[in-house]
């Protein structure tokens, strides 16, 4: 059966990891566009506040405190969505956590907790969602990463979990398509996104974690997710740097190794000690914010993402980007010439 995806304002979306970052941005935007949203997270207090805000703005939302690493909790989320809204049309497996550290520093307990969330959370959510969507159809959207394609130093556990998410998602898609299930399975692979991810991560390094530029807005990922809820996509990169890194990692892996070894350690570590070295790995904290604290880089919108989602605006976006590059070139030329004259 060919999958048919409804317009967003006719959908109910289940979103895990909805108390902050990408999940919260997606829930807010979906509710603003008329969708009903079911928000799942370990942080019940934060979820209730978010639901209150969405309902105050005229939206419909339901909070369900749950741990994605437990299949029974995901079944409880699905049951709550069915009881409140009669079912769901899209399930977004977004919950995720990071660890910054050398591979031999990371404890087995922390690595397993990360996999419970990043990998088993996707497996549990996907299988529960598929069980219900096989009847009425819909979308399963899994949030991977550019690190689903290309591992990064200091991220061994995180990169491994995102590789596993990609493999599971690809296998699940083939199985559902073979069986004729009316379900679209999409993997979203963002680059560096300006959420509270670095603050939530478990940090072994003794230095504050930071994201290497370019860093994109969480809203870009939310818009990609909502596009996948309405239109079939197999894979979606968010941020041109993500696609570039994936391509280079596949075509020139040793060169990418060398570049990463030279630049990606200092690019991911600030000089000051981490404010929250334990992060939210074992206990949900710092929830309720879409954007994180990124003093070392500017968070910007992805032009490639806007061009893909709005093809009619692509020409104007390209022109704007060209104008920006030209302006920078003029400024550099002037400042360079002025510097030469001063010298």
């Amino acid at each position: 059966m060919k999958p048919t995806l409804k317009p967003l304002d006719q959908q109910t979306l289940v979103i895990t990891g909805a108390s902050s970052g990408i999940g919260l941005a997606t829930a807010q935007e979906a509710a603003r566009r008329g969708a009903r949203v079911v928000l799942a997270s370990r942080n019940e207090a934060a979820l209730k506040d978010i639901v209150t805000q969405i309902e105050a703005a005229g939206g419909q939302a339901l909070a369900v405190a749950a741990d994605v690493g437990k299949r029974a909790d995901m079944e409880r989320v699905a049951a709550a969505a069915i009881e409140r809204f009669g079912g769901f049309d899209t399930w977004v497996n977004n919950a995720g956590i990071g660890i910054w550290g050398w591979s031999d520093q990371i404890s087995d307990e922390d690595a397993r907790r990360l996999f419970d969330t990043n990998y088993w959370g996707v497996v549990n959510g996907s299988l529960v969602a598929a069980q219900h969507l096989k009847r009425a159809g819909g979308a399963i959207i899994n949030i991977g990463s550019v690190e689903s394609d290309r591992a990064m130093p200091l991220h061994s556990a995180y990169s491994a979990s995102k590789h596993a998410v990609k493999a599971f998602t690809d296998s699940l898609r083939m199985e559902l398509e073979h069986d004729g299930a009316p379900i679209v399975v999409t993997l979203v692979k963002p680059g560096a996104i300006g959420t509270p991810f670095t603050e939530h991560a478990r940090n072994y390094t003794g230095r504050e974690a930071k994201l290497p530029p370019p860093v994109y807005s969480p809203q870009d990922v939310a818009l990609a997710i909502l596009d996948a809820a309405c239109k079939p996509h197999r894979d979606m990169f968010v941020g041109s740097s993500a696609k570039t890194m994936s391509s280079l990692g596949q075509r020139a892996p040793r060169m990418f190794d060398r570049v990463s070894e030279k630049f990606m350690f200092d690019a991911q570590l600030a000089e000051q000690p981490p404010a929250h070295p334990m992060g939210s790995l074992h206990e949900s904290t710092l929830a309720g914010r879409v954007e994180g604290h990124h003093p070392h880089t500017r968070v910007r919108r992805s032009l490639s993402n806007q061009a893909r989602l709005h093809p009619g605006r692509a020409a104007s976006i390209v022109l704007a980007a060209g104008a920006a590059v030209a302006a920078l070139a003029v400024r550099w030329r002037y400042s360079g010439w002025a510097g030469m004259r001063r010298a």
Side-chain angles (χ1 to χ4, degrees):
M1 185 185 302
K2 185 176 180 180
T4 301
L5 302 179
K6 299 177 184 176
L8 196 61
D9 61 2
Q10 297 177 24
Q11 288 203 36
T12 296
L13 285 77
V14 174
I15 304 169
T16 69
S19 61
S20 67
I22 291 168
L24 176 54
T26 304
Q28 291 172 336
E29 183 64 20
R32 188 184 69 79
R33 296 190 190 186
R36 299 166 296 278
V37 291
V38 179
L39 313 180
S41 164
R42 290 175 296 167
N43 196 319
E44 185 174 16
L47 287 181
K48 288 181 177 179
D49 287 343
I50 294 163
V51 166
T52 298
Q53 294 167 15
I54 289 174
E55 291 180 338
Q60 298 183 68
L62 173 66
V64 185
D67 184 337
V68 297
K70 301 175 181 177
R71 181 76 61 86
D73 279 18
M74 294 298 92
E75 290 173 346
R76 186 163 49 79
V77 171
I82 293 168
E83 181 180 358
R84 172 73 179 272
F85 297 121
F88 53 88
D89 307 283
T90 294
W91 186 293
V92 183
N93 288 305
N94 163 75
I97 196 74
I99 295 177
W100 252 253
W102 273 257
S103 299
D104 60 359
Q105 291 180 311
I106 300 169
S107 72
D108 291 349
E109 180 187 11
D110 285 352
R112 289 192 174 99
R113 175 65 252 190
L114 180 142
F115 261 79
D116 281 345
T117 300
N118 292 12
Y119 175 69
W120 287 108
V122 169
V123 172
N124 292 335
S126 294
L127 296 181
V128 168
Q131 178 184 351
H132 294 275
L133 293 176
K134 283 179 180 179
R135 295 188 290 272
I140 296 172
I141 303 171
N142 294 337
I143 309 306
S145 167
V146 62
E147 295 186 51
S148 295
D149 295 341
R150 174 66 210 188
M152 297 293 290
L154 303 179
H155 290 196
S156 59
Y158 179 79
S159 292
S161 73
K162 292 301 184 178
H163 271 62
V165 165
K166 180 183 184 300
F168 171 78
T169 302
D170 289 346
S171 291
L172 176 67
R173 182 188 300 110
M174 289 185 284
E175 292 166 3
L176 292 174
E177 289 178 350
H178 174 270
D179 291 345
I183 303 172
V184 177
V185 179
T186 300
L187 180 66
V188 179
K189 296 186 281 189
I193 306 298
T195 68
F197 179 71
T198 53
E199 300 158 69
H200 288 185
R202 172 75 169 95
N203 191 330
Y204 283 84
T205 68
R207 295 166 62 182
E208 182 179 296
K210 64 178 182 176
L211 299 175
V215 178
Y216 300 102
S217 168
Q219 191 70 10
D220 286 319
V221 190
L223 295 178
I225 291 170
L226 297 182
D227 192 60
C230 303
K231 302 173 189 174
H233 293 276
R234 185 183 188 277
D235 298 279
M236 300 178 78
F237 287 102
V238 179
S240 57
S241 65
K243 191 169 185 177
T244 300
M245 288 175 64
S246 174
S247 179
L248 284 175
Q250 293 173 22
R251 296 173 185 273
R254 285 303 289 157
M255 183 193 78
F256 202 100
D257 289 348
R258 299 304 187 199
V259 171
S260 297
E261 290 162 13
K262 186 172 181 61
F263 297 108
M264 281 299 175
F265 287 86
D266 285 341
Q268 296 185 91
L269 295 173
E271 292 302 322
Q272 63 269 30
H276 306 283
M278 298 305 296
S280 300
L281 183 63
H282 295 282
E283 183 179 357
S284 180
T285 59
L286 307 171
R289 291 187 288 125
V290 169
E291 297 179 350
H293 181 58
H294 300 282
H296 310 288
T297 188
R298 180 175 68 90
V299 178
R300 63 183 180 85
R301 298 302 300 271
S302 166
L303 294 177
S304 63
N305 195 61
Q306 293 179 58
R308 183 183 66 245
L309 298 179
H310 306 286
R313 302 181 200 169
S316 61
I317 290 171
V318 170
L319 287 173
V325 170
L328 286 172
V330 169
R331 287 176 60 189
W332 179 88
R333 185 175 180 182
Y334 175 78
S335 61
W337 174 252
M340 289 174 67
R341 291 184 64 183
R342 284 194 297 271

